[in-house]
Amino acid sequence: QPARPTHHGYTRVDDGSIVLSPADQATLDGMLLERLLAKRAREFAKADELRQKLRSAGVIIDDGANTYRVVPPEPPKPPQPARPTHHGYTRVDDGSVVLSPADQATLDGMLLDRVLAKRERAWERSDELRQKLREAGVSVNDGESTYSLKPPAPPKPPKQSQPARPTH
C-alpha cells in the first residue's frame, strides 16, 4: 500500500494581499490534503463538499494547475425585501355586501397573492386568481387599484315540470 501523502501539492498563486494566520494556513492545508485524499479514493461527493467549503471561505482551486488563490470573501447579499402585507386595492362599492372578518381576510389574501403573482410575472397564476375572484363576485380594476363586491345572484326558481304529452 502506498504511503499516505503528507502534503497536498497545491501552490498558492495570488498576490498574497490576504494574509492567513498560521492556524488558518494549517486548516487550509489540512482541507486541501483531505480533498486530495478523497479524490484519490474516488469519494467525489466528499471532494466536492470540501471544494465548496473552501470556496465559501474564499479559496479558489485550480485542479488542472494544482494551484489555489485566496480571494476576499464575497460581501453578504442584501436581505430579500419582506413580503408585502397589503395588496394596495381599495373597495369602491356601495357596501351592501358585508363580509365576515374571515371572508375579508381570505379576499385580502387572494388580492395580495395576485399582486405578487403579477410582480413575479406569473401571468397564469395571476389570471387564475382573477378568475376565482370573479367567480366569488369580486370585480377588480387593476388600473385604478380598486375592487368591488357584487351581491350574490338570487337563487333561480325551480323549473316547473311540464305535464307529459299524451302519445297517440
Side-chain angles (χ1 to χ4, degrees):
Q1 185 170 4
R4 178 183 156 116
T6 57
H7 189 66
H8 50 70
Y10 286 85
T11 304
R12 183 172 176 176
V13 294
D14 58 62
D15 62 8
S17 61
I18 298 176
V19 179
L20 299 177
S21 71
D24 287 344
Q25 186 64 53
T27 300
L28 172 60
D29 290 336
M31 290 178 75
L32 288 169
L33 178 60
E34 186 180 355
R35 184 168 179 277
L36 174 70
L37 295 173
K39 285 176 30 180
R40 286 188 181 168
R42 304 188 66 72
E43 296 173 357
F44 298 115
K46 182 177 180 181
D48 290 346
E49 181 183 328
L50 286 162
R51 180 187 195 99
Q52 186 56 42
K53 284 182 180 179
L54 288 162
R55 177 67 185 107
S56 351
V59 178
I60 311 295
I61 301 171
D62 181 347
D63 286 320
N66 280 355
T67 60
Y68 70 92
R69 295 179 293 121
V70 180
V71 297
E74 294 179 12
K77 293 181 181 175
Q80 292 291 328
R83 179 181 177 185
T85 57
H86 188 67
H87 47 71
Y89 284 82
T90 304
R91 183 172 172 177
V92 293
D93 57 46
D94 63 7
S96 62
V97 177
V98 179
L99 297 178
S100 70
D103 287 344
Q104 184 65 53
T106 300
L107 171 60
D108 289 336
M110 289 177 72
L111 287 168
L112 178 59
D113 287 346
R114 185 162 178 274
V115 166
L116 295 174
K118 286 172 47 180
R119 282 186 189 168
E120 296 166 3
R121 299 183 171 278
W123 305 122
E124 275 187 48
R125 175 79 177 131
S126 171
D127 292 345
E128 287 171 12
L129 287 163
R130 183 182 192 103
Q131 185 58 37
K132 285 181 181 180
L133 288 163
R134 192 175 288 141
E135 290 167 4
V138 180
S139 176
V140 178
N141 182 331
D142 291 320
E144 297 178 10
S145 296
T146 60
Y147 71 95
S148 58
L149 302 176
K150 298 176 191 166
K156 293 182 180 179
K159 287 188 174 183
Q160 297 288 330
S161 60
Q162 296 187 7
R165 293 184 181 181
T167 57
H168 296 284

